[in-house]
Each structure stands twice: as C-alpha cells, then as structure tokens.
Amino acid sequence: MDDSHTLVLDMQKRFLSDWNQRISANNENPDNDFAPMWGAAAELGLTMAIAPDKHGGLGDDGDFHFSYFHQRGALLACANFGAALAGAWAILSATNQNDSADTLGSGAMRPALPTFPEEIGTFPKKRTLTGQETETGIRLWGQFDIVRAAPLATHIFAPVRMEDNGDSCIVLLDTDDAAISIVPFTLVDKATAGKITITDLMLKPTHILARGPLAEAIWVAAQTAMIAATAAEATGVMQSLLDQTVAYVRQRQQFGASIGSFQSVQHRLAEMLVEIELTHSLALAASRDLSDTLLASAAKARANDALQKMADCAVQFHGGIGTTEELALSRYFRRAMALRGELGTTEQHFRLIENAICSEVQPASPVTRSAA
Amino acid sequence: MTDLALETFRNEVRAFLDQALTTDLRQEADRQTGTFAEPALAQRWHRILYRQGWAAPSWPTEFGGPGWTAQQKLVFERECALANAPLLPAMGISMCGPVLIGHGTAEQKARFLPSILSGEDRWCQGYSEPGAGSDLASIKTRAIRDGDEYVIDGTKIWTTFAHASNWMFLLARTDTEARPQAGITFLLVPMDTPGISVSPILSMSGEHEVNQVFLDNVRIPVANRVGEENQGWTVAKYLLEFERGGVAATGRTLRVVGLLRRMAQENGGLPPSLLRRYAALDVDIRATEYTQQRMLAAIDSGQSVGNANASILKLKASQLYQTASQLFLDAVGEWGLVDQAAALYEGGQVVGPDYCVTAAARFMNSKAMSIFGGTSEVQKTILARGALGL
Ligand SMILES: Cc1cc2nc3c(=O)[nH]c(=O)nc-3n(C[C@H](O)[C@H](O)[C@H](O)COP(=O)(O)OP(=O)(O)OC[C@H]3O[C@@H](n4cnc5c(N)ncnc54)[C@H](O)[C@@H]3O)c2cc1C
C-alpha cells in the first residue's frame, strides 16, 4: 500500500465514524438514510476506491482490499455497506461493462447480489432465475428468497439458467423495472433485505453480461471476492469486539479489582488475540490472491468460527449488560451472526476443502470405503 | 422406586401432558425465546399444574408438593421439556418456596407458600445490583431498622419479570461495619409498596424480561424478614444452590432439541455435519442427565444438591443450552439470518417457514445462561475451591 491507499482509508475511517455517531445519537437504523449515505461515500471516492485499477480504483492491491473491508467491519456504520460492492466490481470489470462501471463508481448504482450459502463455490445449480430466448432479448422469471439490501438497491446482478439449452448467464437488472417486486424484511443485523420476485421481465440483450462457461467463471470469481471481503470484514468485527471487551474488563470492578486482573479472563482474551491474528493472516492472504477460491474458503471457515468465539466471549465478559441492546456490543454481536451465515457457513466451506483434499489423496478409480 | 413403577409414572405424566397441553398452549410455547415462558403464558400453565397438584414437584407434601422421589421429579421435568410445556419462572416455586420451607417461620410459610403454589403471587429476585454481580456480597442496597419496619434504599438490576411480579425477595445490607457477607439480610417486599419503581431493560433480541428496580425509602414490616438480621447470606446461598442445581439441567436444552427434531422431520432430515453435532450433543445430554440422577439419588427429596454439584449442573446446563441453540440456528440455515422480531412481538408474518421463527432470538438469549444465576467463571471458581480445594 502507498500514500493513496492510506489516504482513502483515513477518509473512510472518518466517514464511517461520523455516520456511527449520527446513528448512535439518534438510535436510528442506517438503512433509513441508505441512499444519501451511499451517495456521500461515493462523493468521497469510496465506491470507486475498491474498483480494479483499470477502472481507476485501487482495488487490485490485496492489502488495500483487506483493509478497506476490515475497516467496515471494525467501524460497522452500516451492515449493508459491504461485500456486494466487491462482487459488482468483479463482474463489471471481467465483462468490460465500462458504462455500468462508471455508474457504479459514481455512486449512482447501488448493487445487490444474491448469494446462496448452500451453493457456494459454483454457479448456482438450483437457485437461478429462468430465462427464455425471445426475438427481442430474454424473458425472465423466478425468485430469490433473501437478498441483502435488495429494497435499497438500484441494480441487481443475478444468475440465470436458460430454459432451452441450460446455459448459464449473468444479467444486470434495474430495480425500477415493473416486473420486479421486492418484499422487504430485516436481517438479524437489523439491515434491510428483500425477497425478490420476477414475473415475465423482458430483458434487452445488452443487459446480459456474460453467458456460458465464462458467466460461470465470472460468477465464481465475484463470489470469491465477496467471500474474501467478508472474511476481512469479520476480522474487523472481531478486532472491535476484542477492543471493546478489553476496555470493559479494564474498567469494570468486582471483588475489589478490575475483572481484567483475573487470570481466567486474561487467558481467554489472550486466546482470542491468537484467534484474531490467525484469521487476519488468512483473510489478508485471501484478499491478496482473489483467484484462489480454496484460500478464500479457508479464510471464511476460520473467520466464521473465530467470530462466534469472540462474540460469545465479548458478551460473557460484559456480564448482564452484554446481553442487552444498551451497548454498541449488541450491534456487533448481531453483525457477527449475519456474517457467519452469509457467503457460506463453516460446514459449506469445509466441504469445498474436503473435496479438494479428496481429489488429491484418493486413487483415480473410485474405491468404496469399508465401514470399518 | 422400581423401574416398572417409574415407567408407569412416566406414562401417567405423558397422558396428562397430552391432554393438558392444548394446541394453543403448545403453539404459544413454541414461540417462546426467553429465559422463562412469558408471564401470561406461564400463569396459564401454572394454574393447570396447580389443579393437577403438580405445581411444586420439589416441595414436601405438607406444603402441597406431590411427594415424588428425585427420579420422579426428573422424569416429570424431562417429559415437560420433551412436550415443550411452557417453562415456568423459577423465582416463586423453585427459589422463594424452598427458602421459606427451609428458613421461614411458621407464619411466613402459612402466609406465603399457598399463594406461591397456586401462582396467585408472582415473585422476582432482587439480588444483583449495578455494582454487585459476581461479587454479590458487595451489595449496597441498605435496609435500616426503624421500629417494626425496615426502610430500604438502593437499586437492583437484571430483575427478571419485576414488571410482572407482585412480590420481590431481596438482599439488603443491614450492617456496614461487618465483613461484607456478615451484614446482609433477606427480605420480602410487596412490589406495590410506595417508593418502588421498575424500569425495563431490553435484551439484545428485543424481549422485555429484565428490569432495573429502584427502591426509595421503601418501608416493610420486620415480619417480612427471612432468617435472622445479618444472616441473609446463608439464606441467599441456600437459594442459589436451588437456582443452579434444583431443576432438570437439561430442561431448556431438550426443548430446543424438540424443535430441531420437528424441523428435521418436516425437512427430510439433517445434513451429515449437523447430524454429527446433534449426536455429540445427545451424548452430552445423557451424560448430564445421568450425572444429575446420580447426585439426586444421594440426597433426600426437598434438599438442594450441594454447592459444588449445583455448580457442575449449572455449568453443563448453560453449555448444553448454548450448544443446542447454536445447532438449531445453524440447522435453520439462511432463515436464521432473518430478524423475526415483527413476527414474535408484533403479530407480523414469519419470514420463511414457521419453524425458523425463534432460532435467532433464542440463540441470542442463550448467551445469557452462562451469566445469570452466577456466571460460568464463578461456577468454575466454586468448583476449583470447593471441590478441588485449590
Ligand atoms: C437474562 C438475565 C436474567 C437475570 N435475572 C436476574 C434476577 O432475576 N435477579 C437477580 O438478582 N439477578 C439476575 N441476573 C443477574 C446475574 O445474576 C448477573 O448478571 C451475574 O451474576 C453477573 O453479574 P454482572 O452482570 O454484574 O457481571 P460481572 O460480575 O461484572 O461479570 C463480568 C464478567 O467478569 C467475570 N468475572 C467476574 N468476577 C470474576 C472472577 N473473580 N474471576 C473470573 N471472572 C470473573 C464474570 O464471569 C463475567 O464474565 C440476571 C442476568 C441476566 C443476564
């Protein structure tokens, strides 16, 4: 990273801190002001900053990619201010959609991108929209149950399976389209999400971003960028949880001493420090090599588990007050819950790693393992 | 009791639950996410148990207990859990009751036990204070003797259901000179006494269970003191053993496991990785149940299980419940990412299938279990000191 990266990160830090203050002062949901917030971030160049270099951003630098999302986790101004941006850039860049890329960079596009925990690491087999070739473009229908930020988005990047030939496609949808209906609800981190239903949408050919194996590869690459971003964000959430807890145990007194002076408290927090350092390293490595899907999986699997351990520990050492919604801690705990479940659970990422190991260690011809 | 007699008893309990737990009681119980069933539901179920004579499984028969053996009590609680009966608040039947039976005067027993048994009086527990949690002996709430009255000033916090109770038992300092433990008195306070105000504290998942209670110049008769003045610590500790070890350690856990099983049945099973976690949980539940049986077999009914044993059970109960709640959340999958507050508290629609509605809130609330009733760190310290002599 050089000065330009540091400058952006300093700016983002100030930006997120300001929003945080505003949110906590009015006890309001950041999503109430999502569009202005997104616009203000774009004005500071924050939506552009994470773009690949060829689109004028700094996002090719892995350390920057990591720090950018780590910061968003640590400062947690807005949960919907997350990984979808990384996914959108990956798709627009790989498909050379320069106009749309400009729109994204300028802040006029707020992207949503459905992800399916149980179909991680591949182009989805089941949960796509269905498309049908027509003379003027393609006719689309289908639904996505849970899409983060969908009601706040201007555009949706969606996977499509063509009905006649089974081809995979990635399409870009405009949420203003009358054929799209979005029912909003709230996620555990209090962020807005929606169920998207699409009935007979007529899509112009220009909105089909990629087709066939290329579409599949781009979708996986976009997911990998999002998984790495989420692992970085999780590391930031963990770091903040640790910092909040260390500050609390320093100050809270019981038995005539600060609870941070008790060895059992110290040891468990020290273990958390180790967890965070290891997760940090993996997540950073994943950000540095976004082509390595297994590395991203390893980072996310580890981040999931470490995040839950840290969140549990933070609540535990805050005692009663930790179980309430009085402190910022509760927002971080909820965010941790959401991050753990998104873009692949531990089990799902382990399965990808298991598959990779199997293909390395198993003989070419299939042998049935005996029950013993 | 022979195995056969115990099985007969189990069948009797099952038959009762089958008929007493009506569909709407079950449905409401399924929606519970807190530490105990919410007051209105708890009240309904309490009345039903009372009419059956089963409201206070641990009480001696002379005060209205059913006269069950320790094994029968466990069977009863296990069956209630498996049927997902509402989980009754512990403060009356399982805390204040045993304390009065063990330490109350004849008048106090006659005055208070019948209405605890019937559920007419609802109790809350005023132990913790903002500055005194794990270090309970450092409480600052004062009670000063004034003729036939005590005048109480101070504040209690985390008081479960203070807003739905008409009585509170509390610990107050009556001697500021003595060792912290030596200057505490156990008092019974009507919640409608002038000078008491209750303000709600919302849990992370949005429930109103706990409160802060302010006591300002609250006057109660000296007759409401349990045990001698300055001897409240002994009473308080006796009660904590009941809180930690008195009830089935697996009760909450079995309720979640029940939800998990029903969800799996509806969904065509569980994936292998979750099955393995369920199997591990199942082994741990059995080990805990047998441990509790072994402990209870050694003592007479109505007594507490002892300090160290109570701590083992409290520790395991929290771990099991938290493990089960996490497993359930993970099994629910992406629906566990949805905040169901609107469906749970405002009569809104469930987002996703019905079975997912409590998963996230329950998971959040399960974190409280290693904190209330003495934190897990405190339980481990008790074990290290009391059982290992360290
Ligand atoms: C949902 C809920 C319901 C409750 N209901 C009631 C109720 O009805 N009535 C009532 O009186 N109270 C109630 N409580 C309060 C509960 O008993 C206290 O929260 C608990 O005793 C811990 O006290 P604290 O919150 O002050 O935490 P603290 O005592 O400040 O503890 C903070 C952290 O420090 C750790 N710690 C403290 N001392 C040590 C040590 N020596 N060694 C190692 N670690 C240590 C603790 O384990 C904990 O992790 C409730 C609490 C909750 C969360």
Side-chain angles (χ1 to χ4, degrees):
Chain A
M1 285 201 290
D2 59 29
D3 287 353
S4 52
H5 299 103
T6 321
L7 199 69
V8 172
L9 291 173
D10 285 348
M11 208 151 58
Q12 175 166 267
K13 186 172 179 181
R14 246 174 295 134
F15 175 76
L16 295 175
S17 307
D18 287 352
W19 275 94
N20 255 338
Q21 266 173 10
R22 204 175 128 175
I23 294 158
S24 45
N26 310 330
N27 193 22
E28 67 182 36
N29 190 322
D31 284 353
N32 296 344
D33 273 333
F34 189 76
M37 180 173 185
W38 188 274
E43 223 157 275
L44 292 174
L46 295 177
T47 47
M48 188 60 151
I50 199 65
D53 294 6
K54 73 169 185 180
H55 292 288
L58 307 164
D60 289 344
D61 185 305
D63 293 42
F64 176 71
H65 186 272
F66 172 81
S67 302
Y68 179 90
F69 287 104
H70 182 281
Q71 209 170 52
R72 291 196 170 190
L75 291 168
L76 190 64
C78 172
N80 271 341
F81 215 54
L85 189 58
W89 274 121
I91 292 173
L92 293 178
S93 167
T95 54
N96 296 311
Q97 294 283 329
N98 293 336
D99 290 348
S100 294
D102 287 346
T103 320
L104 181 63
S106 74
M109 176 191 288
R110 297 187 299 277
L113 214 153
T115 59
F116 315 102
E118 81 280 22
E119 298 201 88
I120 218 73
T122 69
F123 190 86
K125 291 181 182 59
K126 290 176 289 207
R127 303 238 226 149
T128 59
L129 301 176
T130 311
Q132 197 180 51
E133 220 74 56
T134 69
E135 271 147 37
T136 49
I138 57 176
R139 197 167 72 83
L140 279 184
W141 66 92
Q143 76 179 45
F144 298 120
D145 287 334
I146 303 180
V147 182
R148 176 175 282 283
L152 310 170
T154 57
H155 291 79
I156 300 164
F157 291 82
V160 174
R161 171 100 38 220
M162 297 306 291
E163 201 180 31
D164 42 354
N165 58 9
D167 257 6
S168 309
C169 299
I170 301 175
V171 299
L172 181 58
L173 307 174
D174 190 329
T175 51
D176 280 344
D177 196 304
I180 301 181
S181 77
I182 301 176
V183 180
F185 51 86
T186 308
L187 297 175
V188 282
D189 55 13
K190 298 289 185 193
T192 308
K195 173 176 173 171
I196 302 177
T197 307
I198 292 170
T199 32
D200 281 339
L201 186 151
M202 293 305 302
L203 195 72
K204 283 191 258 154
T206 47
H207 287 69
I208 303 168
L209 305 184
R211 266 184 190 261
L214 180 65
E216 292 177 4
I218 291 175
W219 188 262
V220 171
Q223 248 187 35
T224 308
M226 290 173 76
I227 292 168
T230 309
E233 207 180 330
T235 314
V237 171
M238 288 172 69
Q239 186 64 54
S240 174
L241 282 167
L242 180 63
D243 295 346
Q244 291 171 50
T245 308
V246 168
Y248 186 78
V249 302
R250 248 186 233 285
Q251 156 251 312
R252 171 71 174 168
Q253 304 267 323
Q254 285 291 277
F255 303 100
S258 79
I259 56 177
S261 68
F262 303 132
Q263 273 194 344
S264 66
V265 174
Q266 293 174 350
H267 287 181
R268 189 155 160 206
L269 289 172
E271 282 168 19
M272 290 306 128
L273 176 64
V274 175
E275 287 288 326
I276 294 176
E277 287 302 323
L278 294 188
T279 310
H280 184 130
S281 308
L282 260 183
L284 175 60
S287 280
R288 282 178 178 167
D289 185 359
L290 292 175
S291 69
D292 190 340
T293 56
L294 281 181
L295 188 55
S297 277
K300 182 65 167 64
R302 179 161 234 301
N304 285 344
D305 285 1
L307 187 55
Q308 193 59 58
K309 271 189 215 161
M310 184 60 237
D312 288 353
C313 171
V315 168
Q316 183 66 22
F317 286 156
H318 278 78
I321 193 77
T323 69
T324 69
E325 53 174 35
E326 305 268 317
L327 303 180
L329 170 64
S330 66
R331 288 175 53 224
Y332 282 82
F333 187 92
R334 283 172 164 276
R335 183 73 186 124
M337 278 176 80
L339 282 172
R340 237 184 105 243
E342 281 177 14
L343 286 146
T345 62
T346 309
E347 268 94 14
Q348 283 144 0
H349 284 295
F350 273 148
R351 209 167 310 135
L352 297 178
I353 297 168
E354 280 167 21
N355 291 344
I357 296 173
C358 280
S359 67
E360 284 164 23
V361 301
Q362 269 178 359
S365 63
V367 229
T368 350
R369 268 194 289 169
S370 74
Chain B
M1 184 168 237
T2 65
D3 286 355
L4 184 65
L6 200 60
E7 276 322 293
T8 311
F9 174 71
R10 188 188 305 276
N11 291 333
E12 189 191 343
V13 173
R14 279 188 184 165
F16 163 74
L17 290 172
D18 255 359
Q19 154 267 310
L21 269 176
T22 54
T23 310
D24 68 315
L25 272 175
R26 276 176 212 263
Q27 277 170 352
E28 239 186 283
D30 277 355
R31 286 288 187 103
Q32 299 301 303
T33 57
T35 306
F36 302 111
E38 58 200 2
L41 174 63
Q43 196 68 8
R44 278 168 68 198
W45 183 236
H46 190 132
R47 298 295 299 175
I48 294 171
L49 290 178
Y50 174 64
R51 281 200 296 274
Q52 176 76 7
W54 291 356
S58 296
W59 291 15
T61 43
E62 57 172 313
F63 301 114
W68 290 338
T69 63
Q71 278 176 319
Q72 278 177 302
K73 279 184 271 174
L74 282 187
V75 164
F76 175 70
E77 294 208 28
R78 193 164 201 285
E79 291 303 321
C80 284
L82 290 174
N84 201 14
L87 190 65
L88 296 186
M91 288 74 81
I93 293 282
S94 308
M95 295 185 189
C96 195
V99 157
L100 291 173
I101 291 168
H103 293 268
T105 61
E107 294 76 45
Q108 286 171 338
K109 289 176 192 167
R111 161 71 185 82
F112 292 111
L113 290 177
S115 55
I116 293 178
L117 187 68
S118 69
E120 208 173 308
D121 285 341
R122 296 161 314 281
W123 287 79
C124 62
Q125 176 189 27
Y127 275 25
S128 310
E129 296 181 5
S134 300
D135 184 12
L136 184 58
S138 70
I139 53 157
K140 291 210 164 58
T141 294
R142 288 294 311 270
I144 296 174
R145 183 80 181 252
D146 180 19
D148 285 344
E149 291 182 322
Y150 283 108
V151 185
I152 311 172
D153 279 285
T155 173
K156 296 291 173 180
I157 197 168
W158 315 124
T159 323
T160 303
F161 293 163
H163 57 295
S165 302
N166 58 342
W167 281 90
M168 168 159 72
F169 56 86
L170 61 73
L171 299 179
R173 184 156 302 288
T174 35
D175 183 348
T176 50
E177 309 289 303
R179 222 163 55 80
Q181 288 83 347
I184 292 173
T185 301
F186 193 103
L187 300 171
L188 310 176
V189 182
M191 290 299 280
D192 61 3
T193 317
I196 298 183
S197 60
V198 176
S199 78
I201 304 174
L202 294 189
S203 77
M204 197 193 294
S205 55
E207 286 97 349
H208 176 199
E209 283 199 320
V210 298
N211 302 274
Q212 185 158 7
V213 179
F214 300 91
L215 301 119
D216 178 17
N217 207 21
V218 171
R219 291 181 166 267
I220 57 151
V222 168
N224 285 11
R225 185 186 71 214
V226 180
E228 293 305 308
E229 187 168 289
N230 296 332
Q231 298 298 308
W233 189 247
T234 319
V235 184
K237 282 202 342 194
Y238 180 80
L239 183 151
L240 281 178
E241 289 175 24
F242 275 97
E243 178 173 7
R244 291 165 186 169
V247 290
T250 55
R252 285 194 178 84
T253 304
L254 289 175
R255 282 174 169 82
V256 187
V257 168
L259 293 174
L260 176 72
R261 293 176 68 97
R262 270 188 287 152
M263 188 212 87
Q265 278 156 5
E266 223 175 280
N267 262 5
L270 291 172
S273 57
L274 292 178
L275 264 180
R276 168 50 65 88
R277 285 167 58 190
Y278 179 16
L281 174 67
D282 189 63
V283 170
D284 221 19
I285 291 174
R286 284 167 201 252
T288 306
E289 284 179 342
Y290 281 115
T291 303
Q292 187 164 24
Q293 279 184 21
R294 200 156 58 88
M295 289 172 180
L296 287 183
I299 58 165
D300 295 326
S301 67
Q303 287 192 349
S304 85
V305 298
N307 209 11
N309 284 345
S311 288
I312 292 178
L313 295 176
K314 169 65 175 38
L315 257 182
K316 278 317 293 183
S318 333
Q319 284 168 5
L320 290 174
Y321 183 52
Q322 290 173 351
T323 306
S325 301
Q326 170 121 44
L327 178 61
F328 184 50
L329 177 72
D330 291 350
V332 157
E334 59 185 329
W335 298 113
L337 295 178
V338 177
D339 185 77
Q340 305 281 5
L344 285 170
Y345 318 122
E346 291 149 29
Q349 289 263 312
V350 181
V351 180
D354 264 352
Y355 60 68
C356 69
V357 66
T358 58
R362 188 184 286 279
F363 173 77
M364 285 185 248
N365 284 326
S366 75
K367 300 304 170 194
M369 198 163 167
S370 49
I371 294 170
F372 64 71
T375 69
S376 290
E377 287 74 24
V378 166
Q379 307 304 335
K380 288 177 193 169
T381 303
I382 292 172
L383 286 174
R385 295 204 182 132
L388 303 176
L390 293 170

